[in-house]
Amino acid sequence: DGGITQSPKYLFRKEGQNVTLSCEQNLNHDAMYWYRQDPGQGLRLIYYSQIVNDFQKGDIAEGYSVSREKKESFPLTVTSAQKNPTAFYLCASSISQNYGYTFGSGTRLTVV
Amino acid sequence: GIQVEQSPPDLILQEGANSTLRCNFSDSVNNLQWFHQNPWGQLINLFYIPSGTKQNGRLSATTVATERYSLLYISSSQTTDSGVYFCAVGMDSNYQLIWGAGTKLIIKP
């Protein structure tokens, strides 16, 4: 079945570490997105990519980095510059801008 | 930028009841989606509905683009319908979706 796979489901990060969250899709979608969700809040866009080797900053890109070397993959790195990284991270994809989004099951990141 | 308001913020119903959730938006859009986030965090796309009416089982949605609102109807609620329902909108000129704050629905058995 086609879908989006995020891994790991739970991730613990020590102060000062960089960590990378994986997002892989086999839906043949061109566009991919990373969102952050804090408890009881809505979603905020971190980065998005419309095509391979191109990506754009969203509302809260500071302290995060991404790459899009393959159509299927859009990994997110949470760097040590992100001062409050504890959150739920969701990856999504869509055929293009004006189509429905499909979401992965998310990664819960906790700083220890 | 576009403002998205969802109402009510919270809704508690008995199993079997019907409900209507509303999404108002402040500008013309060409992308409107409804999502359900279950208690484990999984977001499911319910409808892509920038205009018109769609139905999927017990759920249906109507968007009146000229009046800038969308409604999500849930009939014969089940406990598995519990969770948060989000509306998100977008425009051609901006690749981003603008998200509402959500409606938290609790269905009691």
Side-chain angles (χ1 to χ4, degrees), chain B residues 90-106:
Chain B
M91 301 167 60
D92 265 337
S93 60
N94 189 333
Y95 215 89
Q96 297 191 31
L97 282 183
I98 310 301
W99 292 73
T103 292
K104 184 175 183 180
L105 177 64
I106 297 174

Side-chain angles (χ1 to χ4, degrees), chain A:
Chain A
D1 288 337
I4 298 183
T5 301
Q6 289 188 242
S7 62
K9 288 193 181 302
Y10 299 93
L11 186 57
F12 298 90
R13 190 195 93 168
K14 294 182 179 180
E15 295 282 352
Q17 274 186 338
N18 293 351
V19 292
T20 297
L21 283 59
S22 171
C23 178
E24 303 276 335
Q25 55 101 357
N26 60 4
L27 300 166
N28 200 32
H29 286 173
D30 285 317
M32 297 187 74
Y33 315 84
W34 273 106
Y35 284 91
R36 169 179 171 143
Q37 187 177 34
D38 293 288
Q41 305 295 314
L43 277 68
R44 292 186 289 169
L45 183 65
I46 305 172
Y47 269 98
Y48 64 94
S49 168
Q50 301 176 46
I51 56 172
V52 174
N53 293 322
D54 183 63
F55 47 83
Q56 306 296 327
K57 292 181 179 181
D59 296 324
I60 56 166
E62 185 175 352
Y64 300 97
S65 65
V66 293
S67 63
R68 186 89 186 275
E69 297 176 1
K70 298 186 301 181
K71 187 175 185 177
E72 302 80 16
S73 179
F74 191 39
L76 173 74
T77 297
V78 184
T79 75
S80 57
Q82 172 49 241
K83 297 307 178 187
N84 185 23
T86 295
F88 187 46
Y89 291 87
L90 288 154
C91 179
S93 71
S94 63
I95 295 174
S96 67
Q97 178 182 359
N98 289 326
Y99 283 84
Y101 284 23
T102 300
F103 276 86
S105 57
T107 293
R108 294 192 185 276
L109 174 62
T110 303
V111 173
V112 295

